Structure formats: structure tokens, C-alpha cells
Amino acid sequence: MKKCLLLLYFGLWATVASAAVLKGKVADEKGEGLAFATVYLKGSTVGSTTNEQGNYQFNVEPGEHTVVFQFVGYKTQSKEIKVTEDTQELVVNMILESEVYDLNEVRVSLSGKDPAYGIMQQAIAKRNYHLKEVEAYTAQVYVKGLQRLINVPKRVLGIMKVPAGLKPGILYLSESVSELSFMQPNKYRERMISSKVSGNSRTFSFNQASDFSLNFYQNLIKANGINERGFISPLAANAMLFYRYELVGSSQNNGNLVHRIKVTPIRKHDPVFTGYIYIVEGSWRLHSLNLYVTKNQQIEFVDTIRVTQQFTP
């Protein structure tokens, strides 16, 4: 069968009229660009996300700012900048170091369970609070969907010939900018500002932010077009019936103790995620997550779907 690489880029940021362009590259210790790292001005909603090469760019108003660089599994870094009325362009590159998560000296509790279960009980107990914490918001959203054919076999299932002219490359590309408004409990309103679609979608397409919701404080993560029944969140009220949890380690991040917890399915074919979630000690909120599902979870059209999220104050 043909193999397809699907990329969904989802940004949620406010924009400002500005006098300068802030741009640069976010990379790891080896100098390789970090795709979809978060870059923003501290204390604001102004920012952007890096592209596949680790490059970012957004507008900044004159003044003194603190630029924050954040990526799942890496130490958060910041840099002070000054933008004057005469500044047209400012280049700030950043290298992020991998976060080191240390295990506590006492690893096994009196009950014999991994300490991760106690942390997750606290996080699940606070799930509904965090779900309803924001009453309403309005934000500008940028969505990019890309379907790229990696290789083309001569035959499918050893019998059917692949249509002539089908070559590796981009099959489908969609981009949109919209204004998304939300109000509790679950009211969305979206105004499309611009939209561009090229090619033919062979599977599914997300062109509007309201088409999908990836809020892991909800019990069930909907995935229309991929899996009609949805996926159970690691923070769902009944999550402990479906997940195993393991505390990999803990680390200080911006003054907060963050726990890295590995989540795996109890049963192979349950509609659940595999990967890592990061929980903040005390507030028990999500700091970030890096999760995936595979064919074992009965997804359609693709072999693997990965979800990476980062949260900022």
C-alpha cells in the first residue's frame, strides 16, 4: 500500500501591529532544528511555532521583552530583547538542552504501586476544574494540513496496479487563518479570514479549527475521520481502567516541579494513547505531552498519529 505522511500544524496566537520582525531558529544540542517548538513573549499571547526546519517569525512591538523558547522534553530558555522604533528585523537563535528527569530516592510506595499513580490520581481529580478554568476566549488560529506521498509501490496487495502518474510528493496542502471564539460549556464560533487548498485529499482534511478538539482534560478525544469512537484521555475519569503509569523522573522547570510520566495501554487494542505526559506538582495541571496512537487503536488511513502539546501561563 502507498505510504502517506500527514502533518497538521495548529497555532493559537494573537497578533499585533508592530514595527519589527523577530525571527530565528530553535535547535537542539546537535544544531538540528526543533519542529513545532513554541516561541512567545512572556506575559503575553504574542508568539509563534517553529516550522519543520525549526525556524520561526512573528511581529513584535517596540519595547523591552522576554522571549521564551519551549519544547517538550527540553529545558525552557528565555532571552531579553529590546526593540526600538527604528528596529525592522531582529534575529534571535536558541539552542535548547534536553531536560534531565531525576527519580526520587523512594521509588516504591507502601502500597507497592509506582508513585505515578498517586500523581495521576491528583491530576484526574483536578481534571474537571482545569477543563472549566477558562470561561471564554477569542484567538486567531492558523491551521496547516499536509499530505505527502513518501513512496509508491508497483502493486497494492500484490495484485492491483497503482494508477499511472502517481508519484512521491505533496498530494494535498491546505492552509487557513480564522478567528475562533469559545464560551463554556462547549460553544465554538469560527470566522474564516482566509483559506487556501490545493491538490486532492486522499484521506481527511482539517481546514477549520472547529473541526477538531484535542483537549486532554476531556474524557474522550474525538477524531472524526480517523477513529469514529475517539480515544480515552490519560486524564479521563476512568483512565486507570485503561492505562498503566510509570514515573520516569521529575525536574524543576521555571520554578515548578514537573513529573514525567510514561503512559501505556493495559490492553493492546483499547482506544488509548502511548507516550509521555508531564504534570506540574501542586497544581496538578498538564505541562506538556507527547503521545501517539497506531493501527492497534483501529485508526484509518495512516499508521501512526502523534500529538504534541505545550502549555504556557
Side-chain angles (χ1 to χ4, degrees):
M1 297 179 66
K2 64 178 185 290
K3 294 183 179 180
C4 239
L5 173 67
L6 303 183
L7 290 177
L8 289 175
Y9 175 94
F10 180 80
L12 193 65
W13 295 102
T15 59
V16 295
S18 62
V21 173
L22 177 65
K23 66 179 185 179
K25 182 175 183 178
V26 182
D28 60 16
E29 298 98 324
K30 298 179 181 179
E32 297 180 0
L34 293 174
F36 314 123
T38 302
V39 185
Y40 68 99
L41 301 184
K42 187 177 181 179
S44 78
T45 57
V46 178
S48 184
T49 308
T50 59
N51 62 14
E52 292 179 69
Q53 290 74 45
N55 298 314
Y56 72 92
Q57 177 177 311
F58 59 94
N59 296 331
V60 180
E61 289 184 328
E64 295 183 357
H65 306 281
T66 300
V67 186
V68 180
F69 301 83
Q70 186 177 356
F71 190 72
V72 177
Y74 287 74
K75 295 180 181 179
T76 299
Q77 301 284 351
S78 61
K79 187 176 180 63
E80 304 293 329
I81 63 170
K82 184 176 182 179
V83 178
T84 68
E85 295 288 347
D86 298 327
T87 306
Q88 295 183 351
E89 183 177 288
L90 190 62
V91 178
V92 178
N93 299 318
M94 181 60 66
I95 294 178
L96 298 183
E97 299 177 359
S98 298
E99 189 71 85
V100 177
Y101 290 88
D102 298 320
L103 284 172
N104 296 327
E105 293 181 6
V106 181
R107 179 152 165 71
V108 180
S109 64
L110 294 176
S111 65
K113 282 191 174 183
D114 191 285
Y117 284 86
I119 296 170
M120 291 307 303
Q121 284 175 344
Q122 297 279 5
I124 292 171
K126 293 280 287 187
R127 178 193 66 83
N128 200 45
Y129 168 79
H130 293 310
L131 180 64
K132 299 177 180 179
E133 190 172 11
V134 177
E135 290 291 334
Y137 66 80
T138 297
Q140 195 172 86
V141 182
Y142 169 66
V143 179
K144 178 179 179 180
L146 173 65
Q147 298 178 18
R148 179 185 293 126
L149 191 62
I150 298 175
N151 59 51
V152 183
K154 294 181 178 180
R155 293 179 180 272
V156 178
L157 301 178
I159 303 173
M160 299 174 57
K161 288 187 176 181
V162 173
L166 189 61
K167 299 178 180 180
I170 295 176
L171 298 176
Y172 176 80
L173 174 65
S174 69
E175 292 182 281
S176 67
V177 177
S178 63
E179 185 179 83
L180 182 69
S181 297
F182 168 80
M183 182 177 293
Q184 292 284 6
N186 193 30
K187 295 181 180 179
Y188 287 93
R189 181 173 60 85
E190 186 169 9
R191 181 177 66 88
M192 190 65 66
I193 298 173
S194 64
S195 176
K196 180 177 67 175
V197 176
S198 60
N200 179 29
S201 174
R202 302 300 177 95
T203 55
F204 57 88
S205 171
F206 292 125
N207 192 245
Q208 296 185 158
S210 54
D211 283 342
F212 62 102
S213 174
L214 296 176
N215 188 340
F216 281 81
Y217 290 124
Q218 294 177 336
N219 285 319
L220 195 65
I221 310 300
K222 296 292 185 179
N224 295 331
I226 301 173
N227 180 306
E228 296 306 319
R229 63 178 178 173
F231 304 102
I232 298 168
S233 168
L235 279 79
N238 61 344
M240 291 198 177
L241 299 176
F242 296 90
Y243 284 98
R244 292 189 180 94
Y245 302 100
E246 178 187 353
L247 178 62
V248 177
S250 306
S251 177
Q252 290 289 335
N253 191 300
N254 279 351
N256 296 311
L257 183 63
V258 178
H259 303 292
R260 187 187 190 201
I261 296 175
K262 183 178 181 180
V263 299
T264 54
I266 292 179
R267 293 168 292 273
K268 183 177 180 180
H269 296 291
D270 279 346
V272 296
F273 295 89
T274 299
Y276 297 91
I277 59 174
Y278 301 76
I279 303 293
V280 180
E281 172 79 19
S283 65
W284 311 112
R285 67 174 68 247
L286 279 169
H287 172 273
S288 52
L289 58 86
N290 191 348
L291 302 170
Y292 67 90
V293 292
T294 68
K295 285 290 188 181
N296 289 332
Q297 283 70 53
Q298 290 83 51
I299 58 177
E300 300 176 7
F301 304 116
V302 293
D303 295 323
T304 304
I305 296 174
R306 184 175 297 276
V307 180
T308 303
Q309 291 186 348
Q310 301 169 84
F311 302 90
T312 59

